[in-house]
Amino acid sequence: MVGRFESTAYDVVTAHKGRVVKMIGDEVMFVTSDVAVACDIALALRDRMADDERIVGVRGAIAKKADEVYRDLTPAEKTVARNVFVRLTALGEGVQDTRRRVVLTELVPSPDAAPLVEGVLQKLETARLVTAVREGEPNAAQPVTYVDVTHEALIREWQTLREWLSED
């Protein structure tokens, strides 16, 4: 499935004289020197992928996994999970909402909440819904941990998150 997406994305981008920079899951990053060509590439990718039921199935599977993980959380963990996903989403003004990378400390409302937040993040990371990455100098006393939604499709396809974003 991923191989098919990557192959199709590469073919579409290069056919328009673009260059693929990075591919992760169902996302492709590309560059081109012309804005109009970039728009053509984006539209061509959308058209080619829209009919592929397997890609739609992957997106649905991500949303289903999120529902399963959320269902198994305690009420307190559910509150934390909601806060995490809302904060990890950048709302688009006239464009699609997208993921937002945040520093772990931004997700912890108080020192007392740290164990609960870290426990929820561990569950979400184990389920591959979020990614946590530690960055910093090798000799730094406190490396910084960044948290991000693993798949953009989660933001677009998970109805529970869509409802939270509408409420907030």
Side-chain angles (χ1 to χ4, degrees), residues 63 67 154-165:
D67 279 331
L154 182 66
I155 295 169
R156 293 188 300 270
E157 304 296 328
W158 189 26
Q159 189 57 40
T160 302
L161 177 55
R162 302 299 321 149
E163 290 169 7
W164 293 337
L165 295 171

Side-chain angles (χ1 to χ4, degrees), residues 102-118:
V102 301
V103 177
L104 172 62
T105 55
E106 185 179 326
L107 300 174
V108 181
S110 70
D112 294 343
L116 178 61
V117 172
E118 290 170 3

Side-chain angles (χ1 to χ4, degrees), residues 124-158:
L124 299 177
E125 192 171 17
T126 299
R128 297 184 179 163
L129 299 175
V130 302
T131 303
V133 177
R134 294 184 77 152
E135 294 182 4
E137 297 297 319
N139 298 328
Q142 289 291 325
V144 177
T145 301
Y146 293 94
V147 182
D148 192 4
V149 171
T150 304
H151 304 281
E152 288 274 344
L154 182 66
I155 295 169
R156 293 188 300 270
E157 304 296 328
W158 189 26

Side-chain angles (χ1 to χ4, degrees), residues 29-92:
M29 293 171 46
F30 61 89
V31 294
T32 181
S33 60
D34 186 337
V35 173
V37 172
C39 292
D40 289 342
I41 292 172
L43 292 171
L45 283 169
R46 183 199 64 196
D47 292 344
R48 291 272 301 268
M49 299 301 173
D51 295 332
D52 194 329
E53 292 180 20
R54 289 175 288 180
I55 290 175
V56 173
V58 169
R59 291 178 178 163
I62 292 168
K64 182 179 177 187
K65 180 68 171 178
D67 279 331
E68 291 169 359
V69 170
Y70 184 73
R71 181 190 63 234
D72 292 340
L73 297 175
T74 68
E77 290 173 329
K78 287 180 179 180
T79 300
V80 170
R82 176 183 175 148
N83 179 57
V84 165
F85 283 114
V86 168
R87 288 178 176 261
L88 294 179
T89 305
L91 299 177

